[in-house]
């Protein structure tokens, strides 16, 4: 039975839940942009996605979707709403038939305000700025900016976050130079791009992709969580029961619909020192997936999506391919029993132009101030470097620059190639699990033993990742980087350094001395590294 509402002289019909207008089906409606992207700001928008992580004190992780829709059959206008648990196969929905587009838009805005800012109150957060928080006893849905969506009417899923905004004139668009590469590199980037998008969609409760704004806000939330962990202290039990960390966790899940199984223990998902690092990695992967989709890097003939990078596959018989293939498997002290011998499948040379320039400037500036000898040097360094000139090799020796390993989940490789290593604006004096020698895990960690770094890759037997983020049909991946170590500071134990102690140029977690079993080399400044190789391997 229809519910009719008399409004300003017009009859507005609210249809029963899960009922389509007479003679209509799922595909008989057009949807429009632009989408709502901010809490409380629904005027002049025509589609919106929202999330509520907590209802009645429980982590229910629900969504609410609204849009202005028009019938393709009779041109009538409707306000459409859909809701349910994230990932629900049979969500609830309801149409409200309106007399005009403006009437449908008013009903759409009214309902969204009722779910959003009418249930919340604005507060000023030290890190996040002005934020909407639920009123006492209320469940508040927050706006979820989404680049793509899998909820709503079928036509709603074609609406991108730019739709309905002012279009850029074709002649004003920047023409992207198409990258050229060899066939093996092309295959690699295609596989990485497909897997990264698949991983991101699979990580979401509703198969969507968050916008860049949502990802950036997610990083701000993690920064706020780091600051709070510093205040609460390093007892994880205290962290998972801290009200502020619980609220920040609810906030990030409400903004980004990442999967979380119901009933899981709080220590597995609350933003504690054990979980912030994984969120950081995931946001990097989500950003890479968004870039792939927006640049059409899978379907286009430019798998790099405009990356400023030179990358070349090195066959095994190539002098540099032979060099890596011979040196890397021997660069280990064999202390990691979960990794046996490795087989190198592929090697690529990698050069990011910006990093190369910064690195060369840094090594030249440090050269005059280096001691004649270094007490601490990394293990397993090659006796000669066929990729360096004699003059470069001397500079490396005089600045304690070394070829070191950095393992990464496979789905994070694309982001590293695009952006390089991320260094935060500010290092926070907080230890994170698996990153104990830099504030908030903000330093970049390297090993002089490839098996140490392999534990952070997507190998099934890897200690830290346990195969997470792997690419079907591919091995695991590891970066080989030139790193300027200079005079290392030998850490007496795990400590979240935010700067180098006076007269030193890196942090050295020394095996048997710094409460670690294997050497860890940490830099806190971007100019101290450059990518040299990407290695695909199996074990």
């Amino acid at each position: 039975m229809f519910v009719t509402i008399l409004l300003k002289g017009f009859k507005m019909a609210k249809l029963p839940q899960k009922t389509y207008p007479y003679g209509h089906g799922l595909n008989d409606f057009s949807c429009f942009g632009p989408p709502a992207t901010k809490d409380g700001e629904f005027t002049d928008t025509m589609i919106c996605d929202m999330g509520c992580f907590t209802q009645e004190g429980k982590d229910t992780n629900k969504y609410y979707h609204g849009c202005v829709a028009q019938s393709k059959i009779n041109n009538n206008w409707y306000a459409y709403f859909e809701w349910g648990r994230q990932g629900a196969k049979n969500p609830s929905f309801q149409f409200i038939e309106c007399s005009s587009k403006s009437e449908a838009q008013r009903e759409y805005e009214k309902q969204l305000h009722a779910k959003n800012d009418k249930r919340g109150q604005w507060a000023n957060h030290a890190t996040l700025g002005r934020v909407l928080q639920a009123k006492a006893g209320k469940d508040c849905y927050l706006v979820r900016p989404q680049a793509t969506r899998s909820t709503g009417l079928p036509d709603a899923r074609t609406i991108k976050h730019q739709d309905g905004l002012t279009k850029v004139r074709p002649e004003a668009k920047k023409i992207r130079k198409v990258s050229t590469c060899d066939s093996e590199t092309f295959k690699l980037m295609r596989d990485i791009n497909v897997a990264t998008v698949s991983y991101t969609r699979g990580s979401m409760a509703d198969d969507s992709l968050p916008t860049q704004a949502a990802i950036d806000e997610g990083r701000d939330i993690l920064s706020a969580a780091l600051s709070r962990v510093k205040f609460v202290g390093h007892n994880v039990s205290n962290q998972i029961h801290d009200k502020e960390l619980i609220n920040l966790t609810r906030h990030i899940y409400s903004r980004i619909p990442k999967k979380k199984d119901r009933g899981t223990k709080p220590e597995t998902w609350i933003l504690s020192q054990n979980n912030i690092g994984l969120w950081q990695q995931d946001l990097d992967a989500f950003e890479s997936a968004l870039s792939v989709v927006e640049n059409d890097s899978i379907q286009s003939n430019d798998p790099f999506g405009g990356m400023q990078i030179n990358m070349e596959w090195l066959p095994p018989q190539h002098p540099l391919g032979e060099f890596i293939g011979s040196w890397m498997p021997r660069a280990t002290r064999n202390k990691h029993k979960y990794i046996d011998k490795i087989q190198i499948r592929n090697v690529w040379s990698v050069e990011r132009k910006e990093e190369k320039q910064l690195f060369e400037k840094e090594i030249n500036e440090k050269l005059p101030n280096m001691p004649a000898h270094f007490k601490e040097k990394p293990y397993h360094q090659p006796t000669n470097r066929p990729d360096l000139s004699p003059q470069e090799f001397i500079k490396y020796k005089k600045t304690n620059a070394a070829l070191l390993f950095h393992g990464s989940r496979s789905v994070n490789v694309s982001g590293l190639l695009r952006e390089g290593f991320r260094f935060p604006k500010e290092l926070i004096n907080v230890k994170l699990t698996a990153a104990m020698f830099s504030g908030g895990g903000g330093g970049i960690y390297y090993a002089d033993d490839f098996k140490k770094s392999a534990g952070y890759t997507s190998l099934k037997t890897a200690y830290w990742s346990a195969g997470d983020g792997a690419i079907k049909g591919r091995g695991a991946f590891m970066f080989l980087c030139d790193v300027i170590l200079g005079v290392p500071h030998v850490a007496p134990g795990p400590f979240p350094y935010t700067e180098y102690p006076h007269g030193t140029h890196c942090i050295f977690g020394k095996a048997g001395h710094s409460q670690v079993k294997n050497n860890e080399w940490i830099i806190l400044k971007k100019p101290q590294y450059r990518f040299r190789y990407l290695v695909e391997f199996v074990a």
Side-chain angles (χ1 to χ4, degrees):
M1 179 180 293
F2 288 89
V3 176
T4 58
I5 303 171
L6 188 64
L7 187 62
K8 294 184 179 180
F10 297 106
K11 283 188 176 181
M12 186 171 61
K14 182 180 287 188
L15 278 64
Q17 291 185 20
K18 294 190 176 183
T19 302
Y20 291 100
Y22 180 77
H24 288 69
L26 193 64
N27 295 297
D28 293 327
F29 301 91
S30 296
C31 299
F32 310 90
T37 59
K38 295 182 179 180
D39 291 317
E41 298 182 14
F42 306 116
T43 303
D44 297 327
T45 71
M46 297 186 74
I47 191 167
C48 179
D49 302 281
M50 297 193 291
C52 180
F53 185 69
T54 303
Q55 285 191 327
E56 298 177 353
K58 298 180 180 179
D59 51 310
T60 55
N61 207 9
K62 291 187 175 182
Y63 78 93
Y64 195 86
H65 167 87
C67 75
V68 176
Q70 186 178 28
S71 166
K72 296 178 181 179
I73 296 175
N74 57 23
N75 292 327
N76 285 354
W77 288 93
Y78 299 85
Y80 172 82
F81 303 100
E82 181 180 302
W83 62 94
R85 195 176 302 281
Q86 287 294 163
K89 295 181 179 179
N90 188 28
S92 299
F93 66 87
Q94 188 167 40
F95 285 87
I96 300 177
E97 185 173 4
C98 302
S99 60
S100 64
K101 175 183 176 181
S102 59
E103 191 64 59
Q105 195 151 6
R106 280 195 291 271
E107 185 63 22
Y108 153 86
E109 292 176 16
K110 175 184 174 183
Q111 185 65 8
L112 296 182
H113 281 298
K115 292 290 184 180
N116 182 241
D117 50 327
K118 294 294 184 181
R119 296 186 179 187
Q121 56 191 5
W122 294 100
N124 289 316
H125 191 279
T127 302
L128 304 178
R130 187 169 180 260
V131 296
L132 185 65
Q133 298 177 341
K135 292 178 180 177
K138 296 289 185 179
D139 301 318
C140 181
Y141 284 80
L142 300 183
V143 172
R144 277 181 175 159
Q146 295 187 340
T148 64
R149 66 182 52 77
S150 61
T151 54
L153 295 164
D155 199 57
R157 302 174 193 185
T158 68
I159 305 297
K160 303 296 188 289
H161 68 285
Q162 307 99 326
D163 288 354
L165 303 178
T166 302
K167 301 295 184 182
V168 178
R169 297 191 312 274
E171 62 271 19
K173 290 183 179 180
K174 184 178 180 180
I175 298 175
R176 192 177 77 202
K177 183 180 179 181
V178 176
S179 302
T180 57
C181 61
D182 57 81
S183 60
E184 290 298 328
T185 304
F186 187 93
K187 292 176 185 176
L188 169 73
M189 295 308 300
R190 179 199 60 198
D191 291 348
I192 288 176
N193 289 338
V194 170
T196 303
V197 173
S198 177
Y199 175 83
T200 299
R201 293 192 187 281
S203 297
M204 298 298 163
D206 61 357
D207 198 39
S208 64
L209 290 181
T211 64
Q212 186 63 53
I215 293 169
D216 290 342
E217 184 179 1
R219 291 193 174 109
D220 290 340
I221 293 170
L222 297 184
S223 294
L226 284 171
S227 297
R228 186 62 186 176
V229 167
K230 177 183 177 181
F231 177 82
V232 173
H234 291 288
N235 184 303
V236 174
S237 178
N238 291 341
Q239 293 171 23
I240 65 175
H241 290 96
D242 180 70
K243 183 177 179 181
E244 173 68 6
L245 286 172
I246 292 172
N247 286 336
L248 288 169
T249 303
R250 292 171 177 171
H251 198 78
I252 197 169
Y253 274 99
S254 293
R255 283 282 191 249
I256 300 175
K258 187 179 173 184
K259 282 181 180 176
K260 190 202 78 67
D261 294 332
R262 295 181 67 190
T264 53
K265 295 181 179 179
E267 54 265 31
T268 65
W269 55 273
I270 293 288
L271 290 178
S272 69
Q273 66 188 51
N274 292 342
N275 301 318
I276 292 173
L278 181 57
W279 259 102
Q280 290 171 335
Q281 292 183 60
D282 275 347
L283 290 181
D284 289 347
F286 300 165
E287 183 175 57
S288 295
L290 181 61
S291 177
V292 168
V293 171
E294 290 190 336
N295 287 292
D296 194 25
S297 299
I298 295 174
Q299 299 298 328
S300 73
N301 60 350
D302 179 16
F304 289 104
M307 293 182 191
Q308 298 299 306
I309 190 170
N310 292 324
M311 194 167 169
E312 179 186 0
W313 178 66
L314 303 175
Q317 64 272 22
H318 188 285
L320 296 182
E322 186 177 1
F323 160 60
I324 297 299
S326 173
W327 168 71
M328 180 174 163
R330 294 183 287 111
T332 179
R333 301 175 75 192
N334 290 312
K335 289 191 172 184
H336 300 77
K337 295 182 180 179
Y338 59 88
I339 298 175
D340 199 1
K341 294 181 180 179
I342 66 164
Q343 177 186 350
I344 294 178
R345 283 187 174 180
N346 291 291
V347 179
W348 289 267
S349 63
V350 179
E351 181 184 283
R352 298 187 73 250
K353 297 177 182 178
E354 177 189 7
E355 286 167 3
K356 180 183 178 183
Q357 294 170 353
L358 290 173
F359 183 89
E360 290 176 347
K361 180 181 178 182
E362 183 77 5
I363 204 168
N364 287 328
E365 289 179 352
K366 280 193 166 37
L367 196 58
N369 302 312
M370 291 291 104
H373 302 284
F374 297 97
K375 184 178 179 181
E376 303 292 350
K377 297 180 181 181
Y379 291 137
H380 311 302
Q381 288 304 292
T383 54
N384 63 75
R385 291 279 301 270
D387 53 354
L388 298 177
S389 69
Q391 294 79 12
E392 288 175 320
F393 191 73
I394 291 172
K395 286 183 180 181
Y396 276 47
K397 286 287 187 181
K398 289 185 175 181
T399 55
N400 203 14
L403 186 60
L404 300 177
F405 304 101
H406 179 91
S408 169
R409 297 188 311 174
S410 300
V411 294
N412 287 105
V413 169
S414 177
L416 289 171
L417 291 173
R418 178 178 296 279
E419 303 289 341
F421 291 120
R422 289 183 178 275
F423 288 79
K425 296 178 182 178
E426 179 185 5
L427 291 171
I428 300 173
N429 187 20
V430 173
K431 286 188 295 185
L432 293 186
T433 301
M436 300 185 293
F437 291 100
S438 62
I444 306 303
Y445 287 67
Y446 300 93
D448 51 25
D449 185 321
F450 83 83
K451 288 190 176 182
K452 166 70 175 177
S453 293
Y456 297 86
T457 69
S458 292
L459 281 177
K460 288 184 178 180
T461 58
Y463 182 81
W464 292 106
S465 68
D468 184 46
I471 298 175
K472 186 177 181 180
R474 286 283 185 177
F477 292 91
M478 190 179 300
F479 284 94
L480 278 59
C481 303
D482 284 340
V483 186
I484 303 170
L485 301 175
V487 178
H489 170 73
V490 181
F495 180 81
Y497 290 91
T498 58
E499 60 183 2
Y500 301 133
H502 179 71
T504 63
H505 309 95
C506 73
I507 307 300
F508 180 24
K510 186 175 181 179
H513 177 87
S514 305
Q515 300 178 38
V516 290
K517 295 180 180 179
N518 303 277
N519 288 347
E520 299 181 19
W521 303 87
I522 303 95
I523 61 170
L524 308 178
K525 298 179 180 180
K526 188 177 181 67
Q528 288 182 242
Y529 86 95
R530 61 176 291 198
F531 287 139
R532 291 307 293 248
Y533 304 99
L534 176 65
V535 177
E536 179 185 4
F537 68 100
V538 293

